[in-house]
């Protein structure tokens, strides 16, 4: 069983349409639903949004009052809790990702209406929409820019401890929060998006060890491409042996099939897989010593050996038992066909005996080409090739 760790970019890679071409032999595909799951996990489920909103302080709200209403002052207004946050993703063709966050903000402060002081709690529905695009590609990294951030307030519920609340307070709170919250929340979204970008870009620029034989270094090859149905990423992969020698592979364009309802599609080029397999399949020569029972039809091991030893061999008397050595010859190759994968190996077979003086007497040297059926699967975050003799 041969395993190759599936790269960390699996959870953040874009969908490559049939009409797009991968330029590096490494490409991946994610649907909007998968993007939403990933970003929701990073921003909402792991508490990143709540963490950076927690320090939110709203400016004092002051109403001058009128002949019928007393002056109103709300101070110390701060965020108590972020309730029921949800995240939605839409892919914008040629632009990037539209991110929408829907939540309820629970605020608390001190309210002074005329001479009456009271505690005030405010629950406000918030809908934040921001367009996110990638720009300034350089050395495998991109800069994320948040554009057109729009913050819309919905229902506002106000409660004071005394239960006495004038309509003028509602109007003042709604007016002031509408004017101030967008300027407070959009910068938080910008910070959170950039932190997530740093985390995700880290998975797109990494060195993955392949056992003790070498490493695979992969990074983003170009700016992501978006359509209304998918986001596409191409990556460069460099396969290195221990000691720094690079194993070359062809980077001819290839394409991915459509998602057809799937969340993710990952494309690994045949040439790239061949380079990786040359690291994975490094079997040292195996030597087997044969016994008389190995030869049906031969009365003895000596009889079997003598039938293979050339006539006139003066050093042959007193030879030891027959031995066979199997060794890989050349690099393994994987052939990819529709619904089928085959690994081809060349093996050198050496049949020999040892003379009484310790010398090696070669009886047969044969190259055998083996075709191994490969079963491809992903298990425990690893790409697994199960090989069997065809």
């Amino acid at each position: 069983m041969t395993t190759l760790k599936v790269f960390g970019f699996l959870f953040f890679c874009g969908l490559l349409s049939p009409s797009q071409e991968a330029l590096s032999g490494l490409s991946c595909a994610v649907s909007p639903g998968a993007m939403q799951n990933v970003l929701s996990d990073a921003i909402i489920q792991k508490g990143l949004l709540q963490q950076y909103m927690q320090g939110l302080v709203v400016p004092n709200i002051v109403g001058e009052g009128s002949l019928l209403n007393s002056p109103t002052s709300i101070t110390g207004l701060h965020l108590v809790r972020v309730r029921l946050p949800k995240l939605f993703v839409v892919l914008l063709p040629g632009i990037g990702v539209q991110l929408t966050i829907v939540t309820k903000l629970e605020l608390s402060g001190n309210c002074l209406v005329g001479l009456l002081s009271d505690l005030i709690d405010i629950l406000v529905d918030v809908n934040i929409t921001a367009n996110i695009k990638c720009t300034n590609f350089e050395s495998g990294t991109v800069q994320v820019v948040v554009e057109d951030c729009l913050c819309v307030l919905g229902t506002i519920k106000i409660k004071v401890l005394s239960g006495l609340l004038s309509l003028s307070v509602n109007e003042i709170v709604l007016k002031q929060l509408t004017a101030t919250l967008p300027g407070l929340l959009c910068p938080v979204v910008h910070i959170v998006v950039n932190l997530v970008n740093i985390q995700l870009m880290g998975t797109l620029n990494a060195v993955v060890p392949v056992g003790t034989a070498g490493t695979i270094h992969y990074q983003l090859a170009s700016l992501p491409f978006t359509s209304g149905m998918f986001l596409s990423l191409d990556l460069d992969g460099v396969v290195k042996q221990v000691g720094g020698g690079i194993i070359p592979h062809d980077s001819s364009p290839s394409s991915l099939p459509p998602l057809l309802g799937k969340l993710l599609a990952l494309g690994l080029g045949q040439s790239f897989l061949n380079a990786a397999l040359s690291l994975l399949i490094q079997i040292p020569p195996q030597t087997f010593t044969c016994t008389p029972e190995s030869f049906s039809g031969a009365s003895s091991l000596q009889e079997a050996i003598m039938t293979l030893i050339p006539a006139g061999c003066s050093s042959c008397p007193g030879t030891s038992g027959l031995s066979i050595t199997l060794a890989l010859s050349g690099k393994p190759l994987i052939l990819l066909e529709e619904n089928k994968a085959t690994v081809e190996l060349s093996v050198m077979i050496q049949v020999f005996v040892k003379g009484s003086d310790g010398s090696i007497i070669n009886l047969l040297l044969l190259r055998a080409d083996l075709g191994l059926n490969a079963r491809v699967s992903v298990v425990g975050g690893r790409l697994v090739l199960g090989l069997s003799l065809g």
Side-chain angles (χ1 to χ4, degrees), residues 7-9 11-12 198-206 218 235:
F7 312 121
F9 63 77
F11 73 91
F12 184 63
I198 292 172
Q199 295 173 7
L200 297 181
M201 285 298 110
T203 72
L204 296 175
N205 190 342
Y218 62 90
L235 296 104

Side-chain angles (χ1 to χ4, degrees), residues 344-366:
E344 292 188 349
L345 296 177
S346 289
V347 180
M348 295 302 297
I349 303 173
Q350 180 188 14
V351 182
F352 65 93
V353 293
K354 288 185 178 180
S356 56
D357 57 357
S359 61
I360 299 296
I361 304 169
N362 287 321
L363 305 179
L364 180 67
L365 191 62
L366 175 69

